[in-house]
Amino acid sequence: MTELLKTWLYQGPSSQQLISFNHHDIVTGSAFTAQVAALHASLSEQPAKRWLLASDSSDLFAIGLCAGLLAGKQLILPSNTQAGTLSELTHEFDGILSDSCLCEGKLMLTLKKEHSGAESHWPSLADNATVGELVLFTSGSSGQPKAITKTLAQLDAEVSVLEQTFAAHLPHCSVISTVSHQHIYGLLFKILWPLAASRPFLSDLVEYPETLTYYTSLFPNLCLISSPAQLSRLPEALEHQPQLHSPSLVFSSGGPLNFQAAAEIAHCYGKPPIEVYGSTETGGIAYRRQSADNQPWRIFASHQIKQDAMDGALLLKSPYLDNDDWLKCDDKVNLVSDSEFHLLGRLDRIVKIEEKRICLVQMEQLLECHPMVSQAMLMVLEQPRVQLGAAIVLSSQGQQLLNNEGKLAVNNLLKAHLLTQFERVTLPRRWRYPEVLELTPQGKRDNQRLIELFSHD
């Protein structure tokens, strides 16, 4: 391992390193050093160990990340800043690092770009001090948020492997992203890897195809970090035409990209995206670039895999994990060789909607907490595109509202309830209100009956 990230974090950027940019501002290594040093000084004065870190601006997030790690703090990264999500995590942190007020009653240090003009030095770890760690939260199968701790050694291992695996495909380039850095994929690919490899990143999130086209025309070498849902829609926005200016490399993660979408991206940009398969728990496991339908995934050279004989689950050994044991993953696979496999689907009730990991148990539990709901069942609908369907048995109060004000009123009420913990793009798109939800003779969910509920509009 080259310890690429660890070396960079301990030494800091050169004064000339371009850290980040947007359409009206750039941040150089010297300015970034001053910003990190100022926040580090403030953090070092605080006894609080656990700090929630959240900002939509990637450069401000990176300031908080570097200062917090060097100050030996534990940084809590929420999957989103919805009020319900923060309420569930409130006992996990003592202070907040953010550029906006997220919740009352907590110590807060504001992330900001302003700093004194005096020359600053990159902070160093105090004698006998240990570097901080990150804690990300992901949906557990029980419906409760599951804390995943990432040490600097684990993150460094992944960044080093990414550079060794993909650097040959990347000229000296700038990085732009359509995905959030608050999740492990964006954190690694948009923040940590670019910092360590001296590739500047766009501090803003790319939300529109026009913005993407603007930056591809502006930069001769560009790396795009995106997701299957966004890439599947992109060819239509590009009018399915080959582009005069294209990214040098496109990454996709968060779920498999179907072959048609990969081929359409290749038609527009000249090359299909590189897909990376993994999870918050495991980090990256494997990658592929689809030149044929159902192309297998190839594991990173540092990994080992085998298959569980009982249920076909993927078993993994990886330097990104905190021990050398085999880890059982939640995906069923078919091994092609000792380094390649096909994915056959999930073994639990965790699903990806718009590349966001959702626990169906958690969403059902939240729905059943509402006084209008007696029972809730969710399922993933594949057509006309991947989305959630909700089958709800209403309480007498809910049935009265349905009778008096109609289905739309009930839909909107339940969506507002779900928005306390879930992002809007993940909410059910189709709603059904049967009198009962039938079970199989074994008392299990009758998925065929659920499918029939949604087969007619």
Side-chain angles (χ1 to χ4, degrees), residues 174-402:
S174 301
V175 177
I176 65 173
S177 176
T178 65
V179 300
S180 169
H181 52 243
Q182 296 284 153
H183 300 266
I184 190 68
Y185 170 46
L187 173 70
L188 285 163
F189 279 71
K190 187 184 180 183
I191 304 287
L192 297 178
W193 183 19
L195 283 176
S198 296
R199 298 186 182 102
F201 56 81
L202 178 66
S203 57
D204 302 328
L205 196 66
V206 175
E207 298 186 75
Y208 304 105
E210 297 84 358
T211 310
L212 174 58
T213 300
Y214 168 77
Y215 282 109
T216 53
S217 64
L218 202 61
F219 292 91
N221 293 317
L222 200 65
C223 177
L224 171 63
I225 312 303
S226 194
S227 70
Q230 293 156 327
L231 291 175
S232 296
R233 300 182 186 115
L234 185 58
E236 183 177 357
L238 299 176
E239 298 179 340
H240 298 279
Q241 295 299 312
Q243 300 299 294
L244 182 62
H245 304 287
S246 300
S248 303
L249 197 61
V250 179
F251 283 102
S252 176
S253 190
L257 182 68
N258 68 56
F259 177 64
Q260 181 182 349
E264 289 176 351
I265 292 292
H267 176 70
C268 294
Y269 281 160
K271 296 183 288 285
I274 294 177
E275 296 174 72
V276 179
Y277 158 69
S279 70
T280 305
E281 296 93 328
T282 63
I285 295 174
Y287 61 96
R288 69 179 181 181
R289 196 174 217 172
Q290 294 191 75
S291 56
D293 197 4
N294 200 30
Q295 187 139 344
W297 297 87
R298 172 172 291 275
I299 63 170
F300 287 100
S302 54
H303 295 14
Q304 299 174 57
I305 58 168
K306 60 184 183 179
Q307 188 175 25
D308 188 284
M310 296 294 292
D311 58 10
L314 178 68
L315 301 176
L316 172 72
K317 272 191 178 182
S318 159
Y320 309 164
L321 303 175
D322 57 7
N323 59 57
D324 294 327
D325 298 334
W326 287 96
L327 174 72
K328 184 175 181 177
C329 302
D330 292 319
D331 286 304
K332 187 175 181 179
V333 297
N334 175 36
L335 295 188
V336 177
S337 68
D338 59 1
S339 62
E340 291 188 325
F341 61 89
H342 292 293
L343 284 172
L344 300 180
R346 298 285 295 187
L347 293 167
D348 58 16
R349 294 195 69 214
I350 307 293
V351 301
K352 290 283 185 72
I353 301 296
E354 297 289 330
E355 280 65 67
K356 297 182 185 295
R357 184 169 161 166
I358 299 299
C359 176
L360 297 184
V361 173
Q362 181 186 6
M363 190 176 281
E364 286 170 351
Q365 289 174 345
L366 183 58
L367 282 166
E368 289 176 353
C369 287
H370 197 282
M372 299 287 178
V373 177
S374 290
Q375 189 180 5
M377 284 188 185
L378 299 171
M379 71 176 305
V380 177
L381 306 172
E382 301 290 343
Q383 299 295 333
R385 69 180 199 189
V386 176
Q387 56 187 251
L388 284 185
I392 308 292
V393 176
L394 295 171
S395 65
S396 56
Q397 187 180 351
Q399 191 64 50
Q400 186 175 356
L401 179 66
L402 180 67

Side-chain angles (χ1 to χ4, degrees), residues 21-247:
F21 62 94
N22 57 29
H23 68 282
H24 60 76
D25 188 27
I26 63 170
V27 176
T28 62
S30 57
F32 189 72
T33 294
Q35 293 156 0
V36 171
L39 182 58
H40 178 270
S42 298
L43 275 172
S44 299
E45 294 173 354
Q46 300 290 343
K49 178 74 173 176
R50 306 174 306 166
W51 293 79
L52 182 129
L53 172 60
S55 174
D56 290 337
S57 176
S58 293
D59 53 353
L60 290 178
F61 177 91
I63 292 167
L65 184 72
C66 293
L69 290 175
L70 291 169
K73 304 299 185 182
Q74 186 181 68
L75 299 176
I76 312 299
L77 274 57
S79 58
N80 61 61
T81 54
Q82 308 291 99
T85 300
L86 296 181
S87 177
E88 280 196 334
L89 300 181
T90 187
H91 62 285
E92 301 283 352
F93 59 93
D94 308 304
I96 297 173
L97 299 176
S98 183
D99 53 341
S100 59
C101 184
L102 297 178
C103 60
E104 301 292 336
K106 294 282 188 179
L107 175 66
M108 179 171 173
L109 294 179
T110 303
L111 298 175
K112 54 187 177 182
K113 295 185 182 181
E114 295 80 10
H115 59 89
S116 66
E119 184 177 351
S120 300
H121 298 284
W122 188 255
S124 58
L125 282 173
D127 293 339
N128 302 319
T130 56
V131 72
E133 61 186 14
L134 305 183
V135 180
L136 298 99
F137 286 85
T138 186
S139 297
S141 56
S142 67
Q144 297 304 310
K146 180 181 177 183
I148 309 295
T149 300
K150 295 287 183 180
T151 65
L152 178 61
Q154 290 173 290
L155 296 168
D156 175 70
E158 185 148 13
V159 166
S160 298
V161 168
L162 289 174
E163 180 70 5
Q164 292 164 6
T165 307
F166 299 121
H169 298 279
L170 286 168
H172 187 74
C173 67
S174 301
V175 177
I176 65 173
S177 176
T178 65
V179 300
S180 169
H181 52 243
Q182 296 284 153
H183 300 266
I184 190 68
Y185 170 46
L187 173 70
L188 285 163
F189 279 71
K190 187 184 180 183
I191 304 287
L192 297 178
W193 183 19
L195 283 176
S198 296
R199 298 186 182 102
F201 56 81
L202 178 66
S203 57
D204 302 328
L205 196 66
V206 175
E207 298 186 75
Y208 304 105
E210 297 84 358
T211 310
L212 174 58
T213 300
Y214 168 77
Y215 282 109
T216 53
S217 64
L218 202 61
F219 292 91
N221 293 317
L222 200 65
C223 177
L224 171 63
I225 312 303
S226 194
S227 70
Q230 293 156 327
L231 291 175
S232 296
R233 300 182 186 115
L234 185 58
E236 183 177 357
L238 299 176
E239 298 179 340
H240 298 279
Q241 295 299 312
Q243 300 299 294
L244 182 62
H245 304 287
S246 300

Side-chain angles (χ1 to χ4, degrees), residues 414-434:
L414 297 181
K415 286 178 183 178
H417 181 60
L418 291 178
L419 282 171
T420 63
Q421 291 187 26
F422 295 91
E423 297 175 75
R424 186 173 294 278
V425 294
T426 67
L427 300 189
R429 297 294 180 93
R430 301 173 71 186
W431 298 79
R432 297 292 183 269
Y433 298 103

